[in-house]
Amino acid sequence: MNKGFKDAVVYQIYPKSFMDANGDGMGDLQGVISRLDYLKELGIDVIWLNPCYKNSGVDGGYDISDYQAIAPELGTMEDFDELLAQAHSRGIRIVMDLVVNHTSTEHAWFVESRKSKDNPKRGFYVWRPPFEGKEPNQERSIFSGPAWEKDEATGEYYLHMFAKEQADLNWENEAVRREVYKMMRWWFDKGIDGFRMDVIDMISKPAAVLRADGGPHRSSAHGPREHEFLREMNREVLSHYDAFTVGESGSVSVTQALEYANLDGSELNMMFQFEHVEHDAGKDTKWSTGPMDLVKLKHIFERWQNGLHGRAWNSLYWDNHDQPRAVSHFGCDREEYRVRSAKMIAACLHMMEGTPYIYQGEELGMTNYPFTDISQSRDVEAINAWNELVVEQKKFTPEYMMACIRYKGRDNARTPMQWTAGENAGFTTGTPWMCVNPNHTAINAESQVGDPDSVFSFYQKLIRLRKTHPVIVHGDFTLLMPEDRQVFAYTRQYEGKTLLVACNFSCEDAALDELAETRGEMLAANYDEPGDKALLRPWEVRVTLV
Ligand code: GLC
Ligand code: CA
C-alpha cells in the first residue's frame, strides 16, 4: 500500500479532452506528454488518468473491450510507456482508472459468454432467466431504463447497471476475480502507481438484485461480499506494490468509509464520496437546477472531516469528469466574480483534511458550457435521461431538462481544455470531437501561467502551502458559524498551530463572528487590500495561521 497518499495533490486528466497532439480532434497520450511540464509547474504529485483502454465508444472509455490495450484513438502502448517514463522522470506518479464492475459487451469474455448457457465464460457475467416473460426483476440502470437486457442467443437476460453495452461482471465467480487481479498486477509490473476504482462499491451485489423473482428496484451497491472482495484484492495485489488507491462510491456513508478507507491499510487509501456534490440533487433523479445550499454543504463536510479524522482518510474534490464545473456549481461563474470565487472555493477545499483532486481546467476557473439543445450533448447519461424523462414520460419539459443539463450535465466537464485564446482553444488543429467553450478567449492557460493574480497561480500557492504547513495535512477540523448562510469558516489545529479559513459564498458582504475574525499571519487571500477583520467582501477567502 502507498504511504505518500496523505501528502499528495492529484490532477485528473480526461484524455479525450486534454490535448490533441496529432490533429484528429481528439485528445491523446502524446498530448498529455506535451503538457507534463505545465503540470510540473502547477506542482501536483499524481495524475489520475481517466480510462485510456480500448473501448466501444459508448461511455467515455468506461466500456472497456480490452484491459491490456490502449484505445487506438488515444495512442499506442509505446505512447503509454513513454508517458509513464516522462511523468516519473518529473517525479509525477500515474494512477490509472480501474473499471471492473463491468466490461463492454465487445470484450472477448462477453462475446464468449453470450454464445450459450454452457460456454466456459458464461459465469463471468450475471445471466438470469426471464420472470413471467419479462425482466428477472425491476432493477433500474443508473443510465435510465431496466438494468436487464435480453440476449436473443439464449433468451436470458444479462445485468447492466449502466448502459446496455456495459455488462456487469460476476464477482461471485472466483475466476473473474483471478483475471482481474492478474490484469492489475500486469499494470503494476509495468510501473503504474495506483488505481482509481470505478464504482467499486458495486462489485458485490445485494442478493435481491441477483434474484429472478420480479422484485422491486433496490440499491445495487455495498453487497454482502464487498469488503471480503476488497481485502482479497488487497492481499493478492495492492499489498505487493506501492499502490495509491481511491475507490468511487455514489452512496458511501461516513460509517462505511471507515471500513473502505481504514488507515490499517486492509482495503483502500480513500474513497470518493458524493454527498457534497449531490447535496442539491433532484428528488428522484440527480437532475436539478440548484441552487446549492451552503448550510447543508457545510454539515456534510463537517461530518466527513470529523468522522474520518484519525481513523480513515478523505478525498477532497469539487468536480471531475462526471460533475459540472466547480466554479459554476459552487462559486459564481459571472465574469465579475468568476476569478474571485474560483480562488475562494479552491482554498475552502484545499485547506481541509484529505487528498485534494484538481480536475483539468479547474485550475483555470473553467466554467460550464452554455448548452441550448440536446443535440449538443455527447454523454449517454444525458441523452438517455432526456429520452426517458422528456420524450417518454414527459415528466420534465424540454426547457427544464436543458436547464438541468446546463447545471448538472457531465458534458460541462468534457469540453476541451482551454490552452490559448486562439482557434479551438489551442486544444487541436483539427475539428474538436466536442464543442469548445466560447469563453476560451478570456479563460485559458496561456494567459494565466506566470500571472501572479490568476486562478492558476492561486492553485500553485495552495499546493505549496500544503507542502509547507503540516497543519493542513494533519490538523483536526472545527466548523465555525455552522448555521450561517453566507460564511463557511473553520479551523484546523495541529501541534499548537491553528489554521483559520474564512470563506464568503455569496455576492454580498458577510459578517464574521468573534471566533472566525481574521487574526494571525495571512497565508492566502483573494483580495489585495486586507479589509475589515470582521467582514468578508463578496466571495472573499482568507487563510491565516495563528
Ligand atoms: C463512474 C464513472 C463514470 C461512468 C460510470 C460507469 O461513475 O466515473 O464516468 O459513466 O462509472 O463506468
Ligand atoms: Ca488525437
Side-chain angles (χ1 to χ4, degrees):
M1 289 293 272
N2 179 260
K3 285 170 207 74
F5 66 94
K6 289 188 180 174
D7 304 307
V9 177
V10 185
Y11 188 89
Q12 183 192 347
I13 293 183
Y14 193 71
K16 264 170 101 167
S17 304
F18 190 61
M19 180 65 206
D20 175 22
N22 67 354
D24 67 354
M26 190 173 284
D28 44 46
L29 297 181
Q30 282 298 334
V32 177
I33 294 171
S34 73
R35 299 298 156 146
L36 285 172
D37 287 331
Y38 167 85
L39 299 177
K40 184 75 198 159
E41 184 157 0
L42 181 57
I44 54 99
D45 309 286
V46 177
I47 292 172
W48 154 28
L49 206 55
N50 277 110
C52 50
Y53 313 94
K54 194 159 175 237
N55 65 80
S56 42
V58 172
D59 183 25
Y62 285 91
D63 47 330
I64 297 171
S65 52
D66 186 342
Y67 288 112
Q68 279 154 271
I70 297 296
E73 64 275 20
L74 300 181
T76 62
M77 197 54 84
E78 287 70 45
D79 294 329
F80 181 83
D81 292 339
E82 187 185 339
L83 169 60
L84 199 57
Q86 293 266 359
H88 285 170
S89 75
R90 289 169 178 79
I92 295 175
R93 288 175 275 160
I94 299 276
V95 166
M96 301 282 282
D97 222 303
L98 182 76
V99 189
V100 290
N101 174 68
H102 45 267
T103 73
S104 161
T105 48
E106 289 177 3
H107 192 289
W109 297 339
F110 191 82
V111 171
E112 280 302 305
S113 187
R114 79 183 338 166
K115 283 184 181 162
S116 66
K117 290 186 191 172
D118 54 9
N119 187 282
K121 290 279 184 295
R122 187 67 168 182
F124 267 49
Y125 296 86
V126 185
W127 291 99
R128 291 293 181 270
F131 176 79
E132 296 178 348
K134 292 205 297 276
E135 285 81 17
N137 58 46
Q138 297 166 48
E139 201 52 47
R140 309 276 304 161
S141 155
I142 291 165
F143 289 166
S144 308
W148 294 97
E149 181 74 9
K150 189 169 184 177
D151 197 49
E152 292 308 331
T154 58
E156 288 196 328
Y157 287 80
Y158 65 87
L159 181 70
H160 62 91
M161 290 315 307
F162 293 90
K164 64 180 191 313
E165 295 84 358
Q166 294 166 297
D168 279 47
L169 283 165
N170 175 19
W171 273 70
E172 303 290 324
N173 181 349
E174 201 191 323
V176 167
R177 307 203 298 277
R178 268 202 310 269
E179 286 292 337
V180 168
Y181 304 153
K182 196 166 96 190
M183 175 272 284
M184 291 173 73
R185 282 192 291 264
W186 185 85
W187 281 103
F188 278 119
D189 290 339
K190 211 180 214 322
I192 68 151
D193 302 286
F195 281 114
R196 172 269 185 187
M197 303 186 182
D198 192 58
V199 291
I200 202 64
D201 59 338
M202 290 168 70
I203 57 176
S204 166
K205 318 273 186 236
V209 175
L210 300 173
R211 274 200 298 268
D213 62 356
H217 166 70
R218 293 197 175 79
S219 159
S220 50
H222 315 289
R225 301 185 68 187
E226 187 65 35
H227 298 287
E228 174 198 332
F229 292 159
L230 282 174
R231 283 193 287 265
E232 180 183 80
M233 178 196 282
N234 188 298
R235 264 196 322 275
E236 296 289 322
V237 187
L238 304 173
S239 61
H240 301 280
Y241 301 91
D242 182 21
F244 179 105
T245 52
V246 49
E248 182 207 27
S249 167
S251 60
V252 67
S253 67
V254 170
T255 315
Q256 288 166 324
L258 289 172
E259 206 165 344
Y260 281 107
N262 194 309
L263 290 177
D264 70 4
S266 56
E267 295 190 22
L268 305 174
N269 290 148
M270 65 194 105
M271 293 296 282
F272 285 132
Q273 58 86 17
F274 279 45
E275 285 188 49
H276 63 309
V277 289
E278 290 196 339
H279 84 280
D280 53 356
K283 203 157 59 65
D284 320 309
T285 67
K286 79 170 223 173
W287 302 104
S288 78
T289 56
M292 66 166 275
D293 177 338
L294 185 65
V295 174
K296 201 163 158 190
L297 190 73
K298 290 192 290 192
H299 287 127
I300 292 170
F301 276 115
E302 182 186 32
R303 258 192 304 109
W304 281 90
Q305 289 286 300
N306 292 333
L308 300 199
H309 183 70
R311 302 163 74 191
W313 193 249
N314 271 292
S315 68
L316 303 171
Y317 73 99
W318 281 131
D319 61 356
N320 58 39
H321 65 294
D322 293 331
Q323 296 296 331
R325 291 280 173 183
V327 71
S328 301
H329 195 182
F330 297 102
C332 174
D333 63 11
R334 293 212 315 265
E335 202 35 47
E336 47 187 322
Y337 295 126
R338 187 185 57 81
V339 170
R340 201 137 4 235
S341 68
K343 291 178 183 176
M344 182 279 288
I345 58 172
C348 181
L349 190 78
H350 281 239
M351 294 299 110
M352 285 192 234
E353 182 172 40
T355 300
Y357 289 74
I358 303 167
Y359 179 65
Q360 66 184 43
E362 181 191 329
E363 78 283 13
L364 306 175
M366 273 177 65
T367 68
N368 282 356
Y369 185 88
F371 292 105
T372 50
D373 195 279
I374 185 66
S375 66
Q376 295 163 314
S377 292
R378 293 283 170 280
D379 176 16
V380 60
E381 182 188 51
I383 295 167
N384 287 1
W386 176 277
N387 288 335
E388 184 171 83
L389 300 169
V390 178
V391 181
E392 285 157 29
Q393 301 175 356
K394 303 203 173 14
K395 210 166 141 185
F396 290 0
T397 65
E399 294 72 30
Y400 178 72
M401 188 63 198
M402 277 322 297
C404 291
I405 289 175
R406 276 194 297 276
Y407 184 67
K408 273 290 175 72
R410 307 196 299 179
D411 278 328
N412 287 303
R414 301 177 184 186
T415 63
M417 176 74 176
Q418 293 165 205
W419 295 107
T420 70
E423 204 178 345
N424 298 324
F427 161 72
T428 179
T429 54
T431 308
W433 75 278
M434 165 134 204
C435 44
V436 173
N437 197 315
N439 66 17
H440 70 274
T441 48
I443 308 170
N444 59 73
E446 193 176 49
S447 66
Q448 294 196 28
V449 175
D451 169 2
D453 292 328
S454 67
V455 180
F456 180 89
S457 299
F458 197 77
Y459 270 86
Q460 277 181 316
K461 180 173 199 169
L462 294 175
I463 297 170
R464 273 200 307 270
L465 285 175
R466 176 166 283 268
K467 313 244 172 258
T468 322
H469 299 283
V471 63
I472 298 174
V473 179
H474 302 291
D476 61 16
F477 175 96
T478 307
L479 184 66
L480 307 175
M481 304 175 67
E483 303 308 322
D484 194 279
R485 294 170 171 282
Q486 290 173 279
V487 175
F488 190 164
Y490 59 87
T491 55
R492 305 277 315 280
Q493 286 183 300
Y494 184 67
E495 294 187 337
K497 298 263 185 215
T498 300
L499 186 79
L500 175 63
V501 182
C503 310
N504 182 355
F505 273 76
S506 81
C507 300
E508 283 88 48
D509 286 348
L512 293 171
D513 74 11
E514 217 176 308
L515 289 173
E517 263 181 19
T518 306
R519 57 193 180 277
E521 175 198 353
M522 188 73 77
L523 296 185
N526 62 352
Y527 277 79
D528 291 337
E529 301 300 317
D532 182 334
K533 67 181 176 27
L535 196 77
L536 290 177
R537 290 157 286 187
W539 302 102
E540 179 163 15
V541 59
R542 290 181 205 155
V543 179
T544 59
L545 191 66
V546 190

PDB file of all heavy atoms in Angstrom, residues 201-229:
ATOM      1  N   ASP A 201     -17.983   0.139  -5.192  1.00  0.00           N
ATOM      2  CA  ASP A 201     -18.973  -0.316  -4.209  1.00  0.00           C
ATOM      3  C   ASP A 201     -20.015  -1.241  -4.831  1.00  0.00           C
ATOM      4  O   ASP A 201     -20.868  -1.777  -4.127  1.00  0.00           O
ATOM      5  CB  ASP A 201     -19.682   0.890  -3.583  1.00  0.00           C
ATOM      6  CG  ASP A 201     -20.378   1.746  -4.624  1.00  0.00           C
ATOM      7  OD1 ASP A 201     -20.011   1.684  -5.809  1.00  0.00           O
ATOM      8  OD2 ASP A 201     -21.314   2.481  -4.246  1.00  0.00           O
ATOM      9  N   MET A 202     -19.954  -1.427  -6.155  1.00  0.00           N
ATOM     10  CA  MET A 202     -20.984  -2.230  -6.805  1.00  0.00           C
ATOM     11  C   MET A 202     -20.508  -3.628  -7.203  1.00  0.00           C
ATOM     12  O   MET A 202     -21.272  -4.393  -7.797  1.00  0.00           O
ATOM     13  CB  MET A 202     -21.508  -1.493  -8.042  1.00  0.00           C
ATOM     14  CG  MET A 202     -22.322  -0.268  -7.637  1.00  0.00           C
ATOM     15  SD  MET A 202     -22.699   0.838  -8.994  1.00  0.00           S
ATOM     16  CE  MET A 202     -23.840  -0.139  -9.905  1.00  0.00           C
ATOM     17  N   ILE A 203     -19.258  -3.969  -6.894  1.00  0.00           N
ATOM     18  CA  ILE A 203     -18.783  -5.284  -7.351  1.00  0.00           C
ATOM     19  C   ILE A 203     -19.503  -6.435  -6.639  1.00  0.00           C
ATOM     20  O   ILE A 203     -19.722  -7.472  -7.219  1.00  0.00           O
ATOM     21  CB  ILE A 203     -17.234  -5.421  -7.263  1.00  0.00           C
ATOM     22  CG1 ILE A 203     -16.734  -5.161  -5.849  1.00  0.00           C
ATOM     23  CG2 ILE A 203     -16.552  -4.510  -8.283  1.00  0.00           C
ATOM     24  CD1 ILE A 203     -15.227  -5.368  -5.692  1.00  0.00           C
ATOM     25  N   SER A 204     -19.862  -6.216  -5.386  1.00  0.00           N
ATOM     26  CA  SER A 204     -20.683  -7.229  -4.720  1.00  0.00           C
ATOM     27  C   SER A 204     -22.122  -6.734  -4.710  1.00  0.00           C
ATOM     28  O   SER A 204     -22.417  -5.664  -4.184  1.00  0.00           O
ATOM     29  CB  SER A 204     -20.198  -7.466  -3.289  1.00  0.00           C
ATOM     30  OG  SER A 204     -21.168  -8.187  -2.555  1.00  0.00           O
ATOM     31  N   LYS A 205     -23.019  -7.516  -5.303  1.00  0.00           N
ATOM     32  CA  LYS A 205     -24.419  -7.065  -5.421  1.00  0.00           C
ATOM     33  C   LYS A 205     -25.258  -7.610  -4.263  1.00  0.00           C
ATOM     34  O   LYS A 205     -25.152  -8.797  -3.932  1.00  0.00           O
ATOM     35  CB  LYS A 205     -25.061  -7.580  -6.714  1.00  0.00           C
ATOM     36  CG  LYS A 205     -24.182  -7.500  -7.943  1.00  0.00           C
ATOM     37  CD  LYS A 205     -24.280  -6.160  -8.643  1.00  0.00           C
ATOM     38  CE  LYS A 205     -23.503  -6.169  -9.938  1.00  0.00           C
ATOM     39  NZ  LYS A 205     -22.481  -5.120 -10.041  1.00  0.00           N
ATOM     40  N   PRO A 206     -26.141  -6.776  -3.730  1.00  0.00           N
ATOM     41  CA  PRO A 206     -27.093  -7.290  -2.742  1.00  0.00           C
ATOM     42  C   PRO A 206     -27.901  -8.440  -3.357  1.00  0.00           C
ATOM     43  O   PRO A 206     -28.208  -8.427  -4.560  1.00  0.00           O
ATOM     44  CB  PRO A 206     -27.995  -6.079  -2.473  1.00  0.00           C
ATOM     45  CG  PRO A 206     -27.175  -4.889  -2.862  1.00  0.00           C
ATOM     46  CD  PRO A 206     -26.305  -5.345  -3.983  1.00  0.00           C
ATOM     47  N   ALA A 207     -28.229  -9.425  -2.533  1.00  0.00           N
ATOM     48  CA  ALA A 207     -28.893 -10.639  -3.032  1.00  0.00           C
ATOM     49  C   ALA A 207     -30.138 -10.332  -3.857  1.00  0.00           C
ATOM     50  O   ALA A 207     -30.395 -10.965  -4.886  1.00  0.00           O
ATOM     51  CB  ALA A 207     -29.237 -11.545  -1.850  1.00  0.00           C
ATOM     52  N   ALA A 208     -30.903  -9.312  -3.425  1.00  0.00           N
ATOM     53  CA  ALA A 208     -32.167  -9.017  -4.112  1.00  0.00           C
ATOM     54  C   ALA A 208     -31.951  -8.613  -5.569  1.00  0.00           C
ATOM     55  O   ALA A 208     -32.791  -8.876  -6.429  1.00  0.00           O
ATOM     56  CB  ALA A 208     -32.899  -7.903  -3.370  1.00  0.00           C
ATOM     57  N   VAL A 209     -30.817  -7.974  -5.837  1.00  0.00           N
ATOM     58  CA  VAL A 209     -30.530  -7.533  -7.206  1.00  0.00           C
ATOM     59  C   VAL A 209     -30.319  -8.745  -8.114  1.00  0.00           C
ATOM     60  O   VAL A 209     -30.581  -8.703  -9.311  1.00  0.00           O
ATOM     61  CB  VAL A 209     -29.262  -6.637  -7.202  1.00  0.00           C
ATOM     62  CG1 VAL A 209     -28.851  -6.240  -8.618  1.00  0.00           C
ATOM     63  CG2 VAL A 209     -29.484  -5.401  -6.335  1.00  0.00           C
ATOM     64  N   LEU A 210     -29.860  -9.835  -7.516  1.00  0.00           N
ATOM     65  CA  LEU A 210     -29.493 -11.012  -8.303  1.00  0.00           C
ATOM     66  C   LEU A 210     -30.637 -12.001  -8.482  1.00  0.00           C
ATOM     67  O   LEU A 210     -30.529 -12.949  -9.247  1.00  0.00           O
ATOM     68  CB  LEU A 210     -28.296 -11.721  -7.638  1.00  0.00           C
ATOM     69  CG  LEU A 210     -27.034 -10.863  -7.497  1.00  0.00           C
ATOM     70  CD1 LEU A 210     -25.978 -11.601  -6.677  1.00  0.00           C
ATOM     71  CD2 LEU A 210     -26.471 -10.496  -8.867  1.00  0.00           C
ATOM     72  N   ARG A 211     -31.742 -11.792  -7.749  1.00  0.00           N
ATOM     73  CA  ARG A 211     -32.827 -12.769  -7.783  1.00  0.00           C
ATOM     74  C   ARG A 211     -33.767 -12.549  -8.966  1.00  0.00           C
ATOM     75  O   ARG A 211     -34.183 -11.427  -9.235  1.00  0.00           O
ATOM     76  CB  ARG A 211     -33.652 -12.695  -6.490  1.00  0.00           C
ATOM     77  CG  ARG A 211     -33.083 -13.533  -5.367  1.00  0.00           C
ATOM     78  CD  ARG A 211     -34.122 -13.832  -4.298  1.00  0.00           C
ATOM     79  NE  ARG A 211     -34.634 -12.627  -3.655  1.00  0.00           N
ATOM     80  CZ  ARG A 211     -34.100 -12.100  -2.541  1.00  0.00           C
ATOM     81  NH1 ARG A 211     -33.051 -12.667  -1.968  1.00  0.00           N
ATOM     82  NH2 ARG A 211     -34.624 -11.022  -2.004  1.00  0.00           N
ATOM     83  N   ALA A 212     -34.090 -13.659  -9.657  1.00  0.00           N
ATOM     84  CA  ALA A 212     -35.043 -13.573 -10.776  1.00  0.00           C
ATOM     85  C   ALA A 212     -36.451 -13.807 -10.235  1.00  0.00           C
ATOM     86  O   ALA A 212     -37.107 -14.794 -10.550  1.00  0.00           O
ATOM     87  CB  ALA A 212     -34.681 -14.609 -11.840  1.00  0.00           C
ATOM     88  N   ASP A 213     -36.905 -12.875  -9.382  1.00  0.00           N
ATOM     89  CA  ASP A 213     -38.197 -13.058  -8.715  1.00  0.00           C
ATOM     90  C   ASP A 213     -39.151 -11.902  -8.981  1.00  0.00           C
ATOM     91  O   ASP A 213     -40.147 -11.719  -8.280  1.00  0.00           O
ATOM     92  CB  ASP A 213     -37.983 -13.207  -7.197  1.00  0.00           C
ATOM     93  CG  ASP A 213     -37.343 -11.960  -6.595  1.00  0.00           C
ATOM     94  OD1 ASP A 213     -37.002 -11.028  -7.369  1.00  0.00           O
ATOM     95  OD2 ASP A 213     -37.174 -11.917  -5.366  1.00  0.00           O
ATOM     96  N   GLY A 214     -38.792 -11.065  -9.963  1.00  0.00           N
ATOM     97  CA  GLY A 214     -39.658  -9.936 -10.289  1.00  0.00           C
ATOM     98  C   GLY A 214     -39.643  -8.828  -9.248  1.00  0.00           C
ATOM     99  O   GLY A 214     -40.409  -7.871  -9.349  1.00  0.00           O
ATOM    100  N   GLY A 215     -38.765  -8.916  -8.269  1.00  0.00           N
ATOM    101  CA  GLY A 215     -38.741  -7.974  -7.137  1.00  0.00           C
ATOM    102  C   GLY A 215     -38.477  -6.531  -7.546  1.00  0.00           C
ATOM    103  O   GLY A 215     -38.072  -6.249  -8.675  1.00  0.00           O
ATOM    104  N   PRO A 216     -38.715  -5.601  -6.600  1.00  0.00           N
ATOM    105  CA  PRO A 216     -38.593  -4.167  -6.897  1.00  0.00           C
ATOM    106  C   PRO A 216     -37.143  -3.693  -7.040  1.00  0.00           C
ATOM    107  O   PRO A 216     -36.214  -4.401  -6.654  1.00  0.00           O
ATOM    108  CB  PRO A 216     -39.229  -3.509  -5.670  1.00  0.00           C
ATOM    109  CG  PRO A 216     -39.008  -4.487  -4.569  1.00  0.00           C
ATOM    110  CD  PRO A 216     -39.075  -5.852  -5.200  1.00  0.00           C
ATOM    111  N   HIS A 217     -37.000  -2.468  -7.527  1.00  0.00           N
ATOM    112  CA  HIS A 217     -35.690  -1.821  -7.649  1.00  0.00           C
ATOM    113  C   HIS A 217     -35.135  -1.519  -6.266  1.00  0.00           C
ATOM    114  O   HIS A 217     -35.843  -1.040  -5.396  1.00  0.00           O
ATOM    115  CB  HIS A 217     -35.866  -0.529  -8.446  1.00  0.00           C
ATOM    116  CG  HIS A 217     -34.694   0.395  -8.373  1.00  0.00           C
ATOM    117  ND1 HIS A 217     -33.500   0.115  -8.986  1.00  0.00           N
ATOM    118  CD2 HIS A 217     -34.535   1.590  -7.758  1.00  0.00           C
ATOM    119  CE1 HIS A 217     -32.648   1.106  -8.751  1.00  0.00           C
ATOM    120  NE2 HIS A 217     -33.253   2.017  -8.009  1.00  0.00           N
ATOM    121  N   ARG A 218     -33.852  -1.838  -6.077  1.00  0.00           N
ATOM    122  CA  ARG A 218     -33.210  -1.556  -4.794  1.00  0.00           C
ATOM    123  C   ARG A 218     -31.856  -0.943  -5.061  1.00  0.00           C
ATOM    124  O   ARG A 218     -31.422  -0.861  -6.203  1.00  0.00           O
ATOM    125  CB  ARG A 218     -32.996  -2.861  -4.020  1.00  0.00           C
ATOM    126  CG  ARG A 218     -34.278  -3.517  -3.569  1.00  0.00           C
ATOM    127  CD  ARG A 218     -33.936  -4.533  -2.488  1.00  0.00           C
ATOM    128  NE  ARG A 218     -35.141  -5.108  -1.923  1.00  0.00           N
ATOM    129  CZ  ARG A 218     -35.846  -6.058  -2.493  1.00  0.00           C
ATOM    130  NH1 ARG A 218     -35.492  -6.511  -3.684  1.00  0.00           N
ATOM    131  NH2 ARG A 218     -36.919  -6.562  -1.910  1.00  0.00           N
ATOM    132  N   SER A 219     -31.180  -0.550  -4.000  1.00  0.00           N
ATOM    133  CA  SER A 219     -29.814  -0.065  -4.175  1.00  0.00           C
ATOM    134  C   SER A 219     -28.951  -1.219  -4.643  1.00  0.00           C
ATOM    135  O   SER A 219     -29.065  -2.342  -4.155  1.00  0.00           O
ATOM    136  CB  SER A 219     -29.270   0.465  -2.857  1.00  0.00           C
ATOM    137  OG  SER A 219     -27.863   0.473  -2.929  1.00  0.00           O
ATOM    138  N   SER A 220     -28.089  -0.950  -5.593  1.00  0.00           N
ATOM    139  CA  SER A 220     -27.283  -2.035  -6.145  1.00  0.00           C
ATOM    140  C   SER A 220     -25.866  -2.030  -5.592  1.00  0.00           C
ATOM    141  O   SER A 220     -24.993  -2.702  -6.105  1.00  0.00           O
ATOM    142  CB  SER A 220     -27.247  -1.882  -7.663  1.00  0.00           C
ATOM    143  OG  SER A 220     -26.894  -0.553  -7.964  1.00  0.00           O
ATOM    144  N   ALA A 221     -25.628  -1.267  -4.540  1.00  0.00           N
ATOM    145  CA  ALA A 221     -24.255  -1.138  -4.032  1.00  0.00           C
ATOM    146  C   ALA A 221     -24.074  -1.802  -2.670  1.00  0.00           C
ATOM    147  O   ALA A 221     -25.032  -2.206  -2.023  1.00  0.00           O
ATOM    148  CB  ALA A 221     -23.889   0.332  -3.928  1.00  0.00           C
ATOM    149  N   HIS A 222     -22.798  -1.909  -2.251  1.00  0.00           N
ATOM    150  CA  HIS A 222     -22.407  -2.412  -0.930  1.00  0.00           C
ATOM    151  C   HIS A 222     -23.027  -3.783  -0.626  1.00  0.00           C
ATOM    152  O   HIS A 222     -23.671  -3.966   0.416  1.00  0.00           O
ATOM    153  CB  HIS A 222     -22.797  -1.425   0.182  1.00  0.00           C
ATOM    154  CG  HIS A 222     -22.469   0.007  -0.130  1.00  0.00           C
ATOM    155  ND1 HIS A 222     -21.180   0.485  -0.162  1.00  0.00           N
ATOM    156  CD2 HIS A 222     -23.269   1.065  -0.441  1.00  0.00           C
ATOM    157  CE1 HIS A 222     -21.209   1.778  -0.472  1.00  0.00           C
ATOM    158  NE2 HIS A 222     -22.447   2.149  -0.651  1.00  0.00           N
ATOM    159  N   GLY A 223     -22.871  -4.720  -1.525  1.00  0.00           N
ATOM    160  CA  GLY A 223     -23.373  -6.066  -1.291  1.00  0.00           C
ATOM    161  C   GLY A 223     -22.617  -6.754  -0.167  1.00  0.00           C
ATOM    162  O   GLY A 223     -21.607  -6.241   0.329  1.00  0.00           O
ATOM    163  N   PRO A 224     -23.093  -7.945   0.234  1.00  0.00           N
ATOM    164  CA  PRO A 224     -22.545  -8.593   1.432  1.00  0.00           C
ATOM    165  C   PRO A 224     -21.065  -8.987   1.331  1.00  0.00           C
ATOM    166  O   PRO A 224     -20.404  -9.132   2.353  1.00  0.00           O
ATOM    167  CB  PRO A 224     -23.427  -9.840   1.593  1.00  0.00           C
ATOM    168  CG  PRO A 224     -24.074 -10.050   0.265  1.00  0.00           C
ATOM    169  CD  PRO A 224     -24.211  -8.697  -0.344  1.00  0.00           C
ATOM    170  N   ARG A 225     -20.543  -9.160   0.111  1.00  0.00           N
ATOM    171  CA  ARG A 225     -19.148  -9.611  -0.002  1.00  0.00           C
ATOM    172  C   ARG A 225     -18.188  -8.481  -0.378  1.00  0.00           C
ATOM    173  O   ARG A 225     -17.017  -8.722  -0.692  1.00  0.00           O
ATOM    174  CB  ARG A 225     -19.064 -10.767  -1.008  1.00  0.00           C
ATOM    175  CG  ARG A 225     -19.933 -11.953  -0.600  1.00  0.00           C
ATOM    176  CD  ARG A 225     -19.768 -13.132  -1.529  1.00  0.00           C
ATOM    177  NE  ARG A 225     -18.447 -13.747  -1.424  1.00  0.00           N
ATOM    178  CZ  ARG A 225     -18.017 -14.721  -2.248  1.00  0.00           C
ATOM    179  NH1 ARG A 225     -18.821 -15.165  -3.213  1.00  0.00           N
ATOM    180  NH2 ARG A 225     -16.808 -15.225  -2.111  1.00  0.00           N
ATOM    181  N   GLU A 226     -18.695  -7.228  -0.359  1.00  0.00           N
ATOM    182  CA  GLU A 226     -17.896  -6.073  -0.785  1.00  0.00           C
ATOM    183  C   GLU A 226     -16.508  -6.024  -0.115  1.00  0.00           C
ATOM    184  O   GLU A 226     -15.478  -5.968  -0.779  1.00  0.00           O
ATOM    185  CB  GLU A 226     -18.699  -4.810  -0.443  1.00  0.00           C
ATOM    186  CG  GLU A 226     -18.113  -3.536  -0.958  1.00  0.00           C
ATOM    187  CD  GLU A 226     -18.071  -3.431  -2.474  1.00  0.00           C
ATOM    188  OE1 GLU A 226     -18.995  -3.938  -3.149  1.00  0.00           O
ATOM    189  OE2 GLU A 226     -17.109  -2.844  -2.980  1.00  0.00           O
ATOM    190  N   HIS A 227     -16.501  -6.065   1.206  1.00  0.00           N
ATOM    191  CA  HIS A 227     -15.217  -5.896   1.905  1.00  0.00           C
ATOM    192  C   HIS A 227     -14.360  -7.147   1.817  1.00  0.00           C
ATOM    193  O   HIS A 227     -13.141  -7.071   1.787  1.00  0.00           O
ATOM    194  CB  HIS A 227     -15.464  -5.450   3.348  1.00  0.00           C
ATOM    195  CG  HIS A 227     -16.152  -4.116   3.399  1.00  0.00           C
ATOM    196  ND1 HIS A 227     -15.510  -2.939   3.100  1.00  0.00           N
ATOM    197  CD2 HIS A 227     -17.448  -3.780   3.635  1.00  0.00           C
ATOM    198  CE1 HIS A 227     -16.366  -1.925   3.169  1.00  0.00           C
ATOM    199  NE2 HIS A 227     -17.555  -2.426   3.489  1.00  0.00           N
ATOM    200  N   GLU A 228     -15.014  -8.280   1.725  1.00  0.00           N
ATOM    201  CA  GLU A 228     -14.259  -9.524   1.511  1.00  0.00           C
ATOM    202  C   GLU A 228     -13.485  -9.428   0.176  1.00  0.00           C
ATOM    203  O   GLU A 228     -12.296  -9.742   0.109  1.00  0.00           O
ATOM    204  CB  GLU A 228     -15.258 -10.694   1.478  1.00  0.00           C
ATOM    205  CG  GLU A 228     -14.637 -12.021   1.132  1.00  0.00           C
ATOM    206  CD  GLU A 228     -15.707 -13.041   0.677  1.00  0.00           C
ATOM    207  OE1 GLU A 228     -16.871 -12.941   1.090  1.00  0.00           O
ATOM    208  OE2 GLU A 228     -15.347 -13.932  -0.119  1.00  0.00           O
ATOM    209  N   PHE A 229     -14.167  -8.964  -0.871  1.00  0.00           N
ATOM    210  CA  PHE A 229     -13.502  -8.851  -2.176  1.00  0.00           C
ATOM    211  C   PHE A 229     -12.355  -7.847  -2.135  1.00  0.00           C
ATOM    212  O   PHE A 229     -11.275  -8.085  -2.667  1.00  0.00           O
ATOM    213  CB  PHE A 229     -14.499  -8.433  -3.264  1.00  0.00           C
ATOM    214  CG  PHE A 229     -15.550  -9.466  -3.595  1.00  0.00           C
ATOM    215  CD1 PHE A 229     -16.743  -9.087  -4.212  1.00  0.00           C
ATOM    216  CD2 PHE A 229     -15.350 -10.808  -3.303  1.00  0.00           C
ATOM    217  CE1 PHE A 229     -17.718 -10.030  -4.531  1.00  0.00           C
ATOM    218  CE2 PHE A 229     -16.323 -11.767  -3.612  1.00  0.00           C
ATOM    219  CZ  PHE A 229     -17.511 -11.371  -4.218  1.00  0.00           C
TER     220      PHE A 229
END
